[in-house]
Amino acid sequence: MGECMIEMHGRPGQSVHQTFGGDSFNTAAYLARLTGDALNVEYVTALGTDGFSQAMRERFVREGVGVDNVRTLESRLPGLYFIETDDAGERRFHYWRSEAAARFMLDGEEGEQLLERLADCDTLYLSGISLAILTAEGRARLLSGLPGLRARGVRVVFDNNYRPRLWQNVETARQAHQALLAQVDLAIVTFEDDQALFGVETPEALFAFYRELGVGEIVIKRGAESCLIECEGMRHEVAGERVEKVVDTTAAGDSFSAGYLACRLTGGNVEQAARWGHRLASTVIKHRGAIIDPEHMPEMP
């Protein structure tokens, strides 16, 4: 669940490449690529009726991502973002998304019906950005509806992706994240994001915080460093893969989440899943843009 946007990347005043991307869609696309027929991957969002929205739907289908839960809002357009990258591959984002269709996906009666349909899925993946972009009505509906979905067997997976600019203030973000985390089964999180949001100083403190909220499986991403995992009372540390030249770090975390989740949902253990996550992320950052060409997809360890 989340927002796919019109993605443009290049340098201002120079030629620009246009495609589509967004944290949750990046994960959905890579998840579909990695699992093929083993999983049915659907995307939950809202789009308009314009040409970009139509092209976006077609891209979902080409990636093997279902569109049955894509809501259509005639008066809305997709959001847009521009990626600037420096010579070291570090990125800077510029967004135009305040009235994007995805913000309104859970509003009104149709939004309520969309959320109700999710009881038919096995696993619901969403991020802190998915939570942030929703209107107050949509966010309240999501948070009040998650306990019912879990009671009907839906497993909830969350990637924190805290972006301060999307929130009114840090307290609002903190309250929303904590309310959501109380309904999460698997958290795949970036340490620096939760350090900024909750003030945790160490991975140990972060593990304890999530454990107290009832999260059963916790994965802490730390960029190029090893990832840390706590599951069923056991701790694991899995080293990342060395990359000689980083071209673009866009979707590094999203692709790690996709690799980890793809492995876990198809029967792999947590250490194997972390290796999948590292392998995919280390490949993605060697190429420009959020979603690499299928020909560049790596073999999994």
Side-chain angles (χ1 to χ4, degrees):
M1 173 186 285
E3 178 183 25
C4 185
M5 306 177 72
I6 301 165
E7 176 192 298
M8 304 178 74
H9 59 87
R11 299 200 177 187
Q14 300 180 20
S15 60
V16 172
H17 177 73
Q18 187 267 307
T19 182
F20 302 111
D23 70 328
S24 54
F25 173 66
N26 302 338
T27 300
Y30 285 126
L31 183 60
R33 288 184 182 185
L34 289 172
T35 58
D37 294 335
L39 293 182
N40 176 23
V41 180
E42 292 275 333
Y43 196 48
V44 184
T45 191
L47 296 173
T49 57
D50 58 284
F52 282 107
S53 292
Q54 180 58 36
M56 202 176 284
R57 286 173 183 269
E58 293 170 358
R59 176 62 184 275
F60 296 174
V61 173
R62 289 201 305 274
E63 290 290 353
V65 176
V67 296
D68 289 348
N69 292 298
V70 176
R71 185 177 172 188
T72 300
L73 298 172
E74 293 192 7
S75 60
R76 302 290 176 184
L77 296 168
L80 179 149
Y81 70 107
F82 187 98
I83 307 170
E84 277 188 88
T85 51
D86 63 21
D87 292 337
E90 285 305 314
R91 56 200 170 157
R92 183 182 180 192
F93 293 97
H94 308 279
Y95 292 97
W96 295 263
R97 75 195 314 173
S98 61
E99 294 299 316
R103 293 195 66 234
F104 306 91
M105 72 175 94
L106 295 181
D107 284 11
E109 184 178 349
E110 286 189 37
E112 188 171 353
Q113 293 169 354
L114 176 58
L115 189 63
E116 175 66 21
R117 288 203 301 273
L118 300 186
D120 294 331
C121 74
D122 300 302
T123 302
L124 173 63
Y125 174 95
L126 70 164
S127 74
I129 294 176
S130 309
L131 187 64
I133 63 158
L134 294 172
T135 65
E137 176 188 345
R139 190 179 304 147
R141 177 164 288 126
L142 173 66
L143 294 175
S144 64
L146 284 177
L149 293 179
R150 292 182 82 214
R152 294 165 71 175
V154 179
R155 188 168 186 241
V156 178
V157 181
F158 182 64
D159 185 332
N160 58 354
N161 272 3
Y162 171 54
R163 301 294 182 265
R165 73 179 72 184
L166 295 179
W167 293 93
Q168 182 181 3
N169 52 57
V170 67
E171 185 56 37
T172 301
R174 191 177 295 130
Q175 290 176 0
H177 276 243
Q178 285 191 241
L180 178 63
L181 285 168
Q183 304 300 327
V184 168
D185 299 284
L186 164 59
I188 310 175
V189 301
T190 300
F191 179 72
E192 290 81 4
D193 288 359
D194 274 343
Q195 192 172 38
L197 180 58
F198 295 116
V200 293
E201 294 295 334
T202 64
E204 179 60 45
L206 186 56
F207 277 133
F209 175 71
Y210 273 58
R211 199 184 314 121
E212 289 172 7
L213 289 169
V215 181
E217 185 173 342
I218 309 154
V219 183
I220 301 178
K221 298 179 286 187
R222 301 189 297 169
E225 297 183 48
S226 59
C227 71
L228 306 175
I229 307 164
E230 182 174 288
C231 181
E232 297 180 347
M234 300 288 291
R235 291 283 180 86
H236 309 265
E237 181 173 359
V238 181
E241 296 194 7
R242 182 175 177 81
V243 176
E244 293 296 333
K245 179 174 175 56
V246 175
V247 174
D248 184 355
T249 57
T250 303
D254 308 332
S255 56
F256 177 95
S257 295
Y260 187 93
L261 193 56
C263 186
R264 291 294 278 151
L265 292 177
T266 54
N269 62 42
V270 296
E271 291 195 359
Q272 182 186 15
R275 289 194 293 272
W276 279 37
H278 284 312
R279 174 65 55 85
L280 183 56
S282 67
T283 302
V284 168
I285 62 177
K286 296 175 186 176
H287 303 274
R288 293 202 179 278
I291 301 178
I292 63 176
D293 288 340
E295 64 188 44
H296 300 308
M297 289 292 291
E299 292 292 327
M300 285 299 148

